[in-house]
Amino acid sequence: SVPPGVLPLCCRQPAWGRAAWQPPNPPQPPSLPLALCRAFSNNKILVELDESSGVATMKFKSPPVNSLSLDFLTEFCISLEKLENDRACRGVILTSAIPKIFSSGLDITEMCGKSMEHYAEFWRAVQEMWLRLYGSNMVTVAAVNGSSPAGGCLVALLCDYRIMVENPKFSIGLNEAQLGIVAPFWFKDTFVNVVGHRVAERSLQLGSLHPTPEAHRIGLVDELVPEDKLQEKAAAVMAQWLALPDHARQLTKSMMRKAVLDRLVAHREEDIQNFISFISKESIQKSLRMYMEMLKKKKS
């Protein structure tokens, strides 16, 4: 089923068909790409699939900062599921259509002053995004073209490979502690799997946001590139990963990640209840309200 507002369309097609008979010395067809490109878009995410390479690009387009709202997370999971079920797609590059920001992370407004039912629905959507992306059979590459705190960092961590723009003004990290929030165990598990236990422990306790050179040094991102080379590098990395037989790569990925995925699946409802209990505490709500006020003052 196609979600409302999703409009499939075809990109440029070859100008010449394949005729069964050719005249002597036929003129050469124009030099146009032979690949079919399909795109579908909803309110917050644009997906473009190049069928010749089997690679999709998923661009976040939820101004001003690509916050992971309930609507965004729902659209993200729908888009990812469509690609997973498309036999033409083998890999996806995640990036932002908004300059200087990959994603600012979980939408604070979804966690402040809402009902218990809303908190449960929101947290289940966060879990679903994590389970789908971390457990994806596709090759996943994060092309991080701006700052990526908290949940934005998590999205990048869930991918197989992370490339970030080489700009010291950009930062990335799980900085939940700065907001008075504790990153759940599955955030922590993902982080530990990427950077190791000691670096993750220190970074999580301090709520650190790592500038790009430091993020590269600790292994949080795999490569730094100039901004104008980001998409080119992401495509090259994707090609390298897709050169392997899918079944061998997928089984290896599953073997490496299965224990962490299974842990959340086994404790999913308990984790939702823990989140509701934590986020509804008045002290936490007060911290979130203060943070939102600070953001409003910055904007003004």
Side-chain angles (χ1 to χ4, degrees):
S1 61
V2 179
V6 174
L7 299 174
L9 58 93
C10 288
C11 297
R12 298 161 69 192
Q13 298 187 27
W16 283 63
R18 295 182 179 178
W21 173 84
Q22 294 281 359
N25 302 315
Q28 292 300 306
S31 178
L32 291 178
L34 297 177
L36 276 175
C37 173
R38 284 190 284 118
F40 59 90
S41 179
N42 45 36
N43 292 331
K44 300 180 183 299
I45 294 173
L46 170 66
V47 179
E48 298 170 324
L49 171 60
D50 181 342
E51 291 186 331
S52 67
S53 65
V55 178
T57 301
M58 186 184 290
K59 294 181 180 178
F60 307 153
K61 58 178 187 77
S62 182
V65 289
N66 289 330
S67 295
L68 305 183
S69 63
L70 180 56
D71 287 346
F72 182 100
L73 292 165
T74 302
E75 292 183 8
F76 183 98
C77 288
I78 289 171
S79 298
L80 201 62
E81 184 177 22
K82 284 171 70 75
L83 294 175
E84 288 277 7
N85 293 332
D86 193 326
R87 298 184 69 176
C89 186
R90 298 173 63 211
V92 59
I93 297 168
L94 277 62
T95 193
S96 170
I98 298 174
K100 300 180 181 179
I101 188 77
F102 180 70
S103 168
S104 65
L106 301 184
D107 190 334
I108 302 295
T109 63
E110 302 280 13
M111 300 184 283
C112 191
K114 298 290 197 298
S115 67
M116 302 294 184
E117 292 76 17
H118 183 89
Y119 295 148
E121 184 183 11
F122 175 65
W123 200 243
R124 188 170 280 107
V126 180
Q127 291 178 334
E128 189 66 22
M129 179 274 292
W130 184 88
L131 289 166
R132 283 189 178 275
L133 186 54
Y134 202 49
S136 175
N137 277 325
M138 297 182 292
V139 176
T140 54
V141 174
V144 184
N145 52 339
S147 289
S148 195
C153 175
L154 182 70
V155 172
L157 285 169
L158 299 176
C159 293
D160 299 318
Y161 201 84
R162 284 158 293 284
I163 309 162
M164 192 166 182
V165 168
E166 193 171 14
N167 186 333
K169 292 182 179 178
F170 296 160
S171 59
I172 184 170
L174 295 179
N175 63 320
E176 281 79 358
Q178 291 187 26
L179 281 67
I181 298 174
V182 178
F185 70 86
W186 36 289
F187 282 47
K188 180 269 296 180
D189 288 347
T190 316
F191 200 29
V192 168
N193 283 355
V194 172
V195 301
H197 194 279
R198 176 57 188 142
V199 171
E201 180 181 34
R202 184 177 64 234
S203 185
L204 285 170
Q205 287 195 50
L206 294 174
S208 301
L209 282 174
H210 305 280
T212 50
E214 183 180 312
H216 183 239
R217 180 178 59 78
I218 66 175
L220 179 49
V221 295
D222 297 297
E223 285 190 66
L224 300 177
V225 297
E227 189 161 8
D228 61 348
K229 301 290 185 184
L230 181 63
Q231 293 304 319
E232 179 185 331
K233 172 54 74 171
V237 167
M238 180 63 75
Q240 179 187 8
W241 284 62
L242 289 180
L244 278 75
D246 281 345
H247 70 280
R249 177 188 51 75
Q250 289 166 355
L251 288 170
T252 302
K253 181 175 181 176
S254 176
M255 176 179 65
M256 296 299 294
R257 299 187 175 190
K258 187 176 186 302
V260 173
L261 288 160
D262 287 351
R263 188 177 173 203
L264 176 59
V265 172
H267 299 282
R268 193 167 181 183
E269 292 306 316
E270 179 187 343
D271 180 66
I272 291 171
Q273 293 307 314
N274 287 341
F275 172 75
I276 294 171
S277 175
F278 179 79
I279 209 70
S280 57
K281 288 180 180 176
E282 181 51 37
S283 59
I284 303 303
Q285 288 290 304
K286 183 178 178 181
S287 292
L288 294 176
R289 287 193 297 267
M290 288 172 62
Y291 184 72
M292 288 169 66
E293 284 298 320
M294 183 188 73
L295 292 178
K296 286 179 183 176
K297 287 178 183 177
K298 279 186 176 180
K299 288 178 184 177
S300 59

